Amino acid sequence: MFHRTKTIVLLAIPALLLACQGGEKNGSPRSSLPSPTRVVTDVREPTAVQKFRTNEGRAAIEGGDHATAIRIFEELLDENPSLTVAYIGIGLAYEDLGEFERAEPAFERATRLDPRNYEAQLGFGEVLQVLGKLRDAIRAYQQALAIDPESVDALVGMSSAFLGLDMASNAIAPAERAVVLAPDDGRARADLGEAYMRVERIEDAIDSFEIALELLGNEPAVIRSLVECYAREDRFAEAINAGQVLISIEPTAQAWERLGRAYFRHGDYDASVESYRRAVEIDPEFWPALNGIGVNELNAWLRSGRKEIQAKEAAGAAFRSSLRVYPDQPKVVQLLTTYPL
């Protein structure tokens, strides 16, 4: 009995060895234990400590201590070169400083690391727009809107970029959407008015500009456009009133030129030519105002039965000065050749 038991045990050992050897393939043993689960971390995401440091950096930006903010974010990148929030922080710091050329690569890197990061795409679009890279800015805004379709900032940025490219019809849809989402956003109202004006929807433009002024206050750019729209609609008294407000807050050559144009359309030629002359006093090379002087003096000469030689000479001098500044004006050339100026 004892020997039989021993035999069974001895036979079991080779069987166990064979079972273990059965797991081998091409001479490589295969463990019967399961492999440990590998924890995969996203290196673009900050740790708890890195989040705390990121908040410190952002607080430094808000406090105006940009150097400290940049140092904090650069230290975070030394720890982890793929930390998206650190690149965004550097971009925000330089953007706040107005150093857009230095903000651009930081935001670009952030968008490459994390294309689905809304803040990175929006910041990238804003910086590109300031740098005049409008088509690239629009693409960044589109990416931001793909992440957050109700981003008023991205919609306003996109409409403004389209206007900068003189693509007013493309600017209308994002501006209208922004107004729906944020009726009290004066920027969206102003952009919508500008887009309407450029596609000759003047009444709609006036409505948008008037609301924009209520929201923004006396914004010179909006008033300039409103003066133009009132004049196009033959609302000359309103155009003159708006023009007078404009020169009271922004007595620039362009403001005086807009007022001169409104007076001319209203038939007050003396006030018109005086406004144009004020514009030229501020900027002797502001050719639209030179043309305004020329037209007024030409009309004065024609109304006199071509007897006021001084007006004729003044008209010719103004038109020639305008052409010296900006030669590509076929209408002005035609006036000089049609009339012996």
Side-chain angles (χ1 to χ4, degrees), residues 11 43 48 52 63-64 77 125 164 177 180 202 267 282 309 312 322 326:
L11 290 173
V43 295
F52 178 79
L77 289 175
R177 177 64 176 158
V180 170
I202 305 302
I282 296 170
I309 303 303
K312 171 189 172 183
S322 175
Y326 182 47

Side-chain angles (χ1 to χ4, degrees), residues 284-297:
E285 295 190 344
F286 191 56
W287 59 268
L290 289 167
N291 287 341
I293 293 171
V295 169
N296 271 291
E297 295 291 4

Side-chain angles (χ1 to χ4, degrees), residues 2 38 41 59-60 84 95 99 111 180-181 212 234 246 251 281 294:
F2 172 79
R38 182 184 177 188
T41 59
T84 305
E95 183 180 14
E99 298 184 25
T111 61
V180 170
L181 292 170
D234 296 338
L246 180 60
E281 287 174 7

Side-chain angles (χ1 to χ4, degrees), residues 273-324:
V273 74
E274 178 60 26
S275 297
Y276 285 130
R277 292 191 188 283
R278 294 291 296 273
V280 173
E281 287 174 7
I282 296 170
D283 183 357
E285 295 190 344
F286 191 56
W287 59 268
L290 289 167
N291 287 341
I293 293 171
V295 169
N296 271 291
E297 295 291 4
L298 175 60
N299 285 344
W301 176 59
L302 294 174
R303 286 196 306 271
S304 72
R306 306 193 180 196
K307 294 178 181 179
E308 291 187 12
I309 303 303
Q310 188 176 359
K312 171 189 172 183
E313 292 175 348
F319 286 139
R320 283 187 289 272
S321 295
S322 175
L323 287 172
R324 280 194 294 270

Side-chain angles (χ1 to χ4, degrees), residues 9 45 56 65 68 76 82-84 102 109 111 115 120 122 156 184 190 194 197 230 237 279 292-293 300 331:
V9 172
E45 291 296 319
E56 281 188 327
D65 190 355
T68 296
L76 287 172
S82 298
L83 199 58
T84 305
R102 302 181 75 175
R109 179 62 175 158
T111 61
L122 180 65
V156 170
D184 294 334
E194 188 69 23
M197 182 178 74
Y230 282 146
I293 293 171
K331 291 183 179 180

Side-chain angles (χ1 to χ4, degrees), residues 16 107 140 170 184 195 202 329:
L16 180 61
F107 280 123
N170 296 80
D184 294 334
I202 305 302
Q329 298 185 74

